[in-house]
């Protein structure tokens, strides 16, 4: 298992959010106090919400920007080796505080002169835009800053763009007005979600970590799956799925659970690249795993409108099940193909002691119950924190004292910094899209380029989401694709409906989940697959080969979104209980076929002809239609019988 220093080194290399200074002296106390104050402010407003939108969001932005300039160095190479905070970062931090306080201090005046910008407003607004771009570059990465900057250039030079991209353009004053003095720009919907739902759920995750639940997930996974064929790989899948509930970052998830599981897989006999691929694929799936999905899922609630977070989580449940089932099946077949066994008894933690701590899962189960009962999302997260504190008192080893609570509040705020920067920067993009009408123009352009073909539109959208996701966090990726590509998908899905018809919930959720999925999959799609690269840093394997293996193992994520767009029964919307059970059953059987075809092993090794036949059979079973299910099941039984009859002696596949 990797040491904390080794884990930190990998995180800093592949995750911009972790490349922070290790501040000393007075700055250590300033940062600690600032992060604690940030969390206290957010908890205070989440309990009573005493502030207007402008004040709430601007203070949230001010906290994030000020702390980012102290914690995150201007150059990545500076890292933790240069712990001194330069004078210019102190100045930027102080200016950020001023920006955060501008709306609270001058709220009355700003509201009275809405639509007009004074000279001071102009200066503050320009500073807010520039500091947001720089903070996003430091805490999130250069790609999102470049994308947001391109959108600003587009807004300014609109008349000079060709064809449908042309618009009348915006001057500096109107852009500043849009970006900082309306709720359509930096202080728009993305940062609204960051300053409410996302922050509280990040705090919930931080409290879970302090109880030791992350290590418990690993122990529980080993107890439940360690003895199975290819045990460590299945441990990685199980623990990463659980870890995803407390980590919104694919890379952080890889390092957190992979430092434990990847060495185990290598020791058992898995190839370096395959071991890293398993962990990367499983860790990336944590963001699509209900009940607590990635931060973009909370944005989805606001962007779609008229839906609850529970509806989003429920819709994502079967696709997430299929995702992890697919990885589980393929690691199993790979283990059988290579002849790997499970872990030995002396490698398994004490079962009785591990199962005795099963109460640590109560906060997560509680969140599910709270959402199911219709409790508002933010209040459910607050109750989850309270339940975590209560559960922690069940045992001395998990009990949280005052110091632990304070550290959890600080850690939660620290993880929120990059999210705040990303959502503020994404607000710039959304503001330009709304103001210039670019969203509608690009949606129409996308439909035109695809010739009105829904399949081609989905393929173009998938490629755009993956390319954008190679350098942008899921939140920013989702904001861009949901404002540009999702409307195109919705338009084509509603062609047979009246022109003035309201967009059905099932159509909106399927379109938005489609772009959400592929934004996440970008983390394991070569050539830039950050989660896979982080896994290769632990396994010692080739980064690109690790990425190829992770993408292959996560094949369900490339298939399922197409299926639920064409037939949303997989989303459990407007479907009967029997339909849901049948769709789930056939889809899992389909994943068995696809897994066997991709790995090249079922009851025995498959030849290339069998592999070519088996994969389409799996696709037929995954697609939720009666005729495809009947044909697929028939062919599945035939191929299974052939495999069984001709299997090598003793090569029976068992779980």
């Amino acid at each position: 298992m990797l040491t904390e220093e080794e884990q930190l080194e990998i995180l800093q290399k592949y995750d911009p959010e972790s490349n922070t200074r290790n501040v000393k002296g007075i700055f250590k106390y300033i940062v600690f106090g600032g992060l604690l104050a940030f969390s206290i402010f957010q908890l205070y407003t989440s309990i009573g919400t005493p502030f207007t939108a402008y004040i709430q969001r601007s203070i949230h932005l001010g906290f994030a920007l000020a702390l980012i300039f102290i914690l995150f160095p201007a150059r990545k190479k500076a890292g933790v080796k240069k712990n001194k905070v330069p004078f210019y970062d102190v100045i930027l931090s102080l200016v950020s505080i001023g920006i955060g306080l501008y709306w609270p201090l001058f709220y009355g005046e700003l509201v009275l002169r809405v639509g007009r910008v004074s000279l001071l407003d102009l200066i503050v607004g320009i500073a807010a835009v520039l500091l947001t771009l720089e903070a996003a570059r430091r805490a999130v990465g250069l790609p999102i800053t470049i994308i947001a900057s391109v959108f600003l250039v587009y807004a300014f030079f609109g008349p000079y763009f060709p064809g449908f991209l042309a618009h009348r353009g915006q001057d500096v004053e109107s852009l500043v007005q849009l970006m900082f003095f309306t709720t359509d720009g930096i202080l728009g919907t993305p940062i609204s979600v960051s300053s409410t739902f996302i922050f509280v759920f990040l705090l919930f995750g931080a409290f879970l970590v302090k109880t030791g639940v992350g290590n418990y997930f690993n122990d529980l996974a080993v107890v439940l799956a360690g003895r199975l064929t290819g045990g460590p790989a299945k441990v990685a899948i199980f623990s990463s799925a659980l870890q995803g509930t407390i980590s919104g970052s694919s890379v952080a998830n890889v390092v957190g659970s992979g430092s434990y599981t990847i060495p185990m897989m290598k020791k058992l006999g898995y190839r370096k690249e395959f071991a890293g691929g398993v962990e990367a694929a499983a860790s990336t799936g944590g963001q699509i795993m209900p009940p607590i999905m990635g931060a973009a899922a909370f944005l989805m609630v606001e962007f779609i409108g008229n839906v609850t977070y529970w509806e989003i989580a429920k819709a994502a449940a079967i696709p997430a099940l299929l995702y992890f089932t697919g990885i589980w099946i393929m690691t199993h077949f790979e283990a059988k193909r290579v002849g790997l066994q499970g872990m030995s008894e002396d490698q398994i933690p004490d079962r009785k002691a591990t199962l005795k701590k099963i109460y640590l899962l109560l906060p997560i189960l509680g969140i599910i119950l709270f959402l199911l009962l219709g409790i508002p999302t933010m209040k459910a997260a607050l109750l989850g924190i309270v339940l975590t504190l209560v559960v922690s008192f069940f045992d001395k080893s998990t009990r949280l004292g005052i110091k632990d609570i304070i550290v959890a509040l600080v850690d939660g705020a620290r993880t929120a910094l990059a999210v705040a920067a990303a959502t503020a920067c994404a607000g710039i993009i959304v503001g330009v899209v709304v103001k210039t009408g670019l969203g509608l123009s690009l949606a129409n352009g996308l439909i035109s380029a695809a010739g009105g073909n829904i399949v081609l539109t989905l393929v173009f959208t998938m490629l755009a989401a993956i390319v954008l996701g190679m350098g942008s966090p899921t939140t920013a990726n989702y904001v861009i694709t949901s404002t540009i590509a999702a409307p195109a998908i919705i338009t084509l899905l509603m062609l047979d409906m009246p022109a003035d018809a309201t967009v059905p919930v099932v159509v909106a959720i399927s379109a938005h989940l489609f772009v959400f999925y592929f934004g996440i999959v970008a983390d394991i799609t070569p050539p830039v697959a950050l989660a896979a690269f982080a896994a290769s840093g632990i396994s010692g394997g080739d980064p690109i080969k690790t990425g190829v293996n992770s993408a292959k193992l996560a094949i369900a994520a490339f298939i399922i979104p197409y299926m639920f767009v064409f037939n949303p029964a997989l989303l459990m919307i407007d479907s009967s209980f029997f339909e849901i059970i049948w769709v789930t059953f056939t889809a899992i059987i389909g994943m068995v076929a696809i897994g066997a075809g991709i790995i090249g092993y079922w009851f025995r090794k498959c030849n290339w002809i069998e592999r070519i036949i088996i994969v389409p059979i799996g696709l037929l079973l995954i697609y939720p239609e009666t005729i495809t299910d009947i044909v697929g099941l028939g062919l599945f039984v035939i191929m299974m019988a052939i495999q069984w009859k001709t299997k090598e002696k003793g090569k029976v596949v068992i779980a």
Side-chain angles (χ1 to χ4, degrees), residues 70-91:
I70 297 297
L71 277 172
F72 290 81
R75 292 182 299 114
K76 187 175 181 180
K77 290 182 180 178
V80 293
K81 293 181 180 178
K82 293 187 178 180
N83 298 320
K84 185 178 179 182
V85 181
F87 75 92
Y88 55 81
D89 278 348
V90 175
I91 293 172

Side-chain angles (χ1 to χ4, degrees), residues 197-198 201-202 204 241-249 283-301 308-320 324 364 367-368 371 377 419 474-475 478 509 512-514 516-517 520 564 571:
F197 306 119
I198 295 176
F201 269 95
L202 290 174
F204 172 62
L242 292 172
Q243 290 275 13
T245 64
I246 59 175
S247 169
S249 166
S283 291
T284 299
Q287 291 193 65
I288 61 174
M289 186 68 182
I292 307 169
M293 300 158 67
F298 296 97
L299 285 170
M300 200 182 302
V301 176
T308 63
Y309 180 76
W310 172 250
E311 289 176 281
I312 300 293
K314 186 182 78 170
I318 292 179
F324 284 102
I364 297 172
I367 287 284
I368 298 174
L371 293 173
T377 309
V419 176
T474 307
T475 46
Y478 170 72
I509 290 179
H512 282 261
L513 272 180
F514 185 90
F516 175 68
Y517 260 66
I520 290 170
F564 64 58
L571 302 180

Side-chain angles (χ1 to χ4, degrees), residues 344-551:
S344 60
E345 190 62 37
D346 62 338
Q347 294 174 301
I348 307 292
D350 184 274
R351 288 181 173 81
K352 187 176 180 181
T354 301
L355 294 176
K356 194 176 178 182
K357 290 186 178 182
I358 198 73
Y359 62 82
L360 288 173
L361 299 182
L362 284 176
I364 297 172
L365 297 175
I367 287 284
I368 298 174
L369 178 62
F370 299 148
L371 293 173
L372 189 59
L373 292 174
I375 293 173
T377 309
M378 195 156 61
K379 186 171 285 188
L382 288 170
L383 290 173
I385 293 172
V386 173
L387 186 56
T388 303
L389 291 171
V390 172
V391 164
S392 77
F393 277 88
F394 289 2
D395 192 278
K396 272 187 177 181
S397 63
T398 62
R399 193 167 299 158
L400 298 183
I402 298 298
K403 183 179 178 181
D404 295 316
I405 292 172
I406 292 173
V407 171
L409 290 171
V410 169
D411 289 345
R414 187 184 292 264
T415 60
L417 297 181
V419 176
T423 51
C425 201
I428 293 175
I429 297 167
V430 174
V432 172
V433 169
V434 171
K435 188 71 173 179
T436 63
L438 178 63
L440 182 60
S441 297
L442 284 178
N444 291 333
L446 185 62
I447 293 172
S448 178
N453 185 292
I454 182 66
V455 176
L456 277 180
T457 301
L458 292 174
V459 170
F460 290 162
T461 300
M462 175 190 74
L463 294 175
I466 289 175
V467 170
L468 286 169
M470 287 180 181
S472 301
T474 307
T475 46
N477 188 339
Y478 170 72
V479 168
I480 299 169
T481 50
S482 64
T483 52
I484 293 172
I489 299 172
I490 291 171
T491 298
L492 290 174
L493 290 176
M494 293 186 64
L495 282 179
D496 296 331
M497 301 181 189
D500 58 347
T502 303
V503 178
V505 169
V506 65
V507 171
I509 290 179
S510 61
H512 282 261
L513 272 180
F514 185 90
V515 299
F516 175 68
Y517 260 66
F518 285 111
I520 290 170
V521 168
D523 280 346
I524 51 172
T525 306
V528 183
L530 294 181
F533 289 0
S536 70
I538 300 172
S539 69
D542 179 85
I544 297 297
K545 289 181 180 178
T546 302
V548 170
N549 274 282
S550 62

Side-chain angles (χ1 to χ4, degrees), residues 619-637:
L619 293 175
L620 286 172
L621 286 163
I622 291 175
Y623 187 73
E625 284 286 352
T626 303
I627 185 64
T628 57
D629 288 345
I630 293 172
V631 173
L633 278 173
L635 294 174
F636 181 89
V637 170

Side-chain angles (χ1 to χ4, degrees), residues 1-2 232 257-269 275 538-539:
M1 184 171 177
L2 299 184
S257 57
S259 62
Y260 176 73
T261 59
I262 290 175
M264 282 199 307
M265 283 188 270
K266 287 172 61 182
K267 186 177 180 181
L268 188 69
I538 300 172
S539 69

Side-chain angles (χ1 to χ4, degrees), residues 319 322-324 326 330 517 551-561 591:
L322 295 178
Y323 179 90
F324 284 102
M330 282 190 271
Y517 260 66
K552 181 174 70 173
L553 288 164
I555 190 66
F558 293 89
I559 299 171
I560 300 300
M591 287 311 306

